[in-house]
Amino acid sequence: MSAVAGTAAAVQELDGDQLAALDACVVAALALSSTEGEAQWRMQLLMECHGRYVRSFGVLEQAPSYEVFARRLHGSRVADLLPGRPQGSVLGQLWLLNDDGMPSSALHRLAVDSEHGHQAPGIGADIRHLHSLLRAVGMLPVSTGLSRISGETVQHAIFRALRAAGFEAYARGREAMVRTPVLTRRGLSRNTALVELGAYTGISPTRQFGGLWAACPICRWTMRATYRPNSVVDVECEDERHSLLGARYRAEPTAMEGWRLVPCSELRAVPELLPVEGYVALPYALWLWVTLPGLLEVELRDRLVALGAEVRLWPFGDAYDLHVTRPGWSRAWRVDVKTWADPYGLAQKLREDPEGSGELCFVVPEHLRGYLPLLRRVVRGSGARVLTDAALVAEVEGA
């Protein structure tokens, strides 16, 4: 079971002081691990974070000094950084910074819905782009900040904007965001709906090196680039599962070729190094909340069709993802795919479902099986079900 995937659910369980402390720690960790911007600006940001952190402890618990605060960001689990040290949370299994002081996958996941994440170096540019995008589609008033927004809310805003161009343009645009999270500027110009949406932006400095970038061989999004001593750069997918499957490389400078990628796993496929110039990419949040679930949606469609089922992909916009039937059977499956364990998002989905929740199947990937009891408690009494992708395929096959 992925602890990182459960961060959204864990954050929902925190109280106001713990949320404030987590926000301060997340932004401070990004400032400590970044070389972006002037050192004086990063130090000022760190001091501001420490001030917010101290206030989150109130008068009943002693907050650490700045020196202790900065040291703990490197060596403490997330739960141990918070007032009251919440027990039994996946936050007790996660660190903000890796042993070498570089951002962890959990740090970026937590930053994207942080109240002050837009201030942070690195991923802050992606978050600011998301702010602008949601305001452009009418999701946020101009003067409103983005605070702990859910993946469901972002999906709803993006898909609603795409649907305004008609269902064909909507389906084409949504599938492009799944299959091609990075596009050439010329390729983007051929998709009017995506151009008008403004979802794609320049490739983040944190995911490029020497004017180059590389796509994850699994999700095709830009891999994170981390500079190491001796001019070596670690290149790795932001998704921990893709990294474990082999989307990990070492970029080495060479006298003749400029740079070359060397695999760091048994996966020997080496992606092509491409110039940053001329390419645009989805920001982190849209890759997380549109591309990743979309990959499972498309894969499920293909697996079910291979079983003889009839499958319509995104039949009613973003009401749900797959409408599945089998010839000769009156039963239908309405499938909504979730790749992050977010009870808040599921509850919001149940409230917004225009057709009612009866027979709606929330499907999570097999690696999130451990969250089934929690998610099933959320949907209890609604008529909806929660099951894994493997269980859905077996159920349709046995019908």
Side-chain angles (χ1 to χ4, degrees):
M1 182 175 68
S2 166
V4 174
T7 55
V11 169
Q12 293 298 324
E13 300 297 320
L14 300 179
D15 63 30
D17 289 335
Q18 290 169 335
L19 284 172
L22 177 62
D23 175 73
C25 289
V26 164
V27 177
L30 286 164
L32 277 174
S33 60
S34 175
T35 58
E36 183 180 309
E38 296 182 359
Q40 183 177 356
W41 170 74
R42 293 199 306 274
M43 178 56 68
Q44 181 179 348
L45 182 59
L46 282 166
M47 297 305 293
E48 290 175 0
C49 289
H50 181 246
R52 295 201 302 269
Y53 186 68
V54 168
R55 289 193 294 274
S56 72
F57 279 78
V59 297
L60 299 179
E61 191 173 350
Q62 180 69 39
S65 66
Y66 171 78
E67 290 75 14
V68 174
F69 169 65
R71 186 170 65 249
R72 287 182 181 175
L73 290 174
H74 283 89
S76 299
R77 291 178 173 88
V78 175
D80 293 336
L81 294 167
L82 308 182
R85 297 189 176 187
Q87 302 298 309
S89 168
V90 297
L91 298 178
Q93 306 171 37
L94 301 172
W95 287 261
L96 297 178
L97 299 172
N98 295 325
D99 293 339
D100 53 8
M102 292 294 102
S104 67
S105 297
L107 178 56
H108 285 167
R109 186 71 65 96
L110 290 164
V112 77
D113 68 347
S114 170
E115 184 175 359
H116 295 87
H118 62 281
Q119 296 178 342
I123 199 172
D126 276 5
I127 297 173
R128 290 191 296 273
H129 177 72
L130 180 63
H131 284 215
S132 299
L133 177 59
L134 293 179
R135 289 184 177 119
V137 300
M139 197 69 196
L140 292 172
V142 174
S143 60
T144 301
L146 186 62
S147 176
R148 311 195 198 288
I149 196 164
S150 73
E152 289 288 347
T153 302
V154 172
Q155 284 185 339
H156 179 72
I158 297 303
F159 298 156
R160 183 185 64 182
L162 284 174
R163 284 201 312 274
F167 185 78
E168 183 178 347
Y170 161 79
R172 181 173 169 234
R174 183 167 177 177
E175 187 157 3
M177 294 173 74
V178 172
R179 295 188 182 277
T180 52
V182 185
L183 285 167
T184 63
R185 292 187 181 276
R186 179 175 295 180
L188 176 63
S189 69
R190 292 194 288 265
N191 192 317
T192 304
L194 289 180
V195 171
E196 293 179 351
L197 179 63
Y200 287 75
T201 187
I203 293 176
S204 167
T206 62
R207 292 188 286 277
Q208 57 175 276
F209 57 97
L212 302 171
W213 68 279
C216 168
I218 300 171
C219 67
R220 309 304 304 166
W221 195 55
T222 53
M223 290 189 285
R224 179 172 46 176
T226 304
Y227 283 85
R228 303 297 186 189
N230 303 320
S231 301
V232 171
V233 179
D234 287 346
V235 182
E236 182 176 9
C237 185
E238 294 273 9
D239 185 271
E240 59 180 343
R241 294 169 298 118
H242 295 177
S243 176
L244 290 172
L245 288 170
R248 293 180 290 117
Y249 303 89
R250 183 175 64 254
E252 300 175 341
T254 65
M256 300 295 293
E257 304 171 17
W259 290 88
R260 67 169 182 171
L261 284 184
V262 178
C264 295
S265 70
E266 295 181 0
L267 181 64
R268 310 314 294 178
V270 178
E272 181 182 4
L273 289 175
L274 297 167
V276 170
E277 186 68 27
Y279 284 87
V280 288
L282 293 179
Y284 178 91
L286 295 187
W287 164 79
L288 175 67
W289 290 327
V290 176
T291 302
L292 289 184
L295 291 172
L296 182 54
E297 293 158 10
V298 173
E299 178 194 346
L300 262 179
R301 187 265 312 271
D302 295 343
R303 289 162 67 186
L304 294 172
V305 168
L307 295 175
E310 296 179 353
V311 183
R312 284 183 289 157
L313 192 61
W314 313 315
F316 302 104
D318 64 332
Y320 55 95
D321 301 317
L322 303 172
H323 189 86
V324 184
T325 57
R326 293 208 65 173
W329 286 79
S330 59
R331 182 180 182 183
W333 290 263
R334 295 192 299 129
V335 178
D336 198 10
V337 174
K338 300 293 171 208
T339 57
W340 62 92
D342 181 3
Y344 173 81
L346 284 186
Q348 181 175 340
K349 180 68 177 182
L350 292 175
R351 289 194 298 269
E352 294 176 349
D353 186 1
E355 298 189 17
S357 56
E359 286 301 308
L360 184 65
C361 301
F362 290 106
V363 172
V364 299
E366 192 66 32
H367 73 273
L368 290 182
R369 169 177 288 277
Y371 289 103
L372 290 179
L374 172 64
L375 299 175
R376 284 170 176 163
R377 285 199 297 272
V378 172
V379 305
R380 184 179 298 153
S382 69
R385 297 186 296 145
V386 184
L387 62 162
T388 66
D389 57 330
L392 174 69
V393 170
E395 191 174 289
V396 174
E397 184 177 19

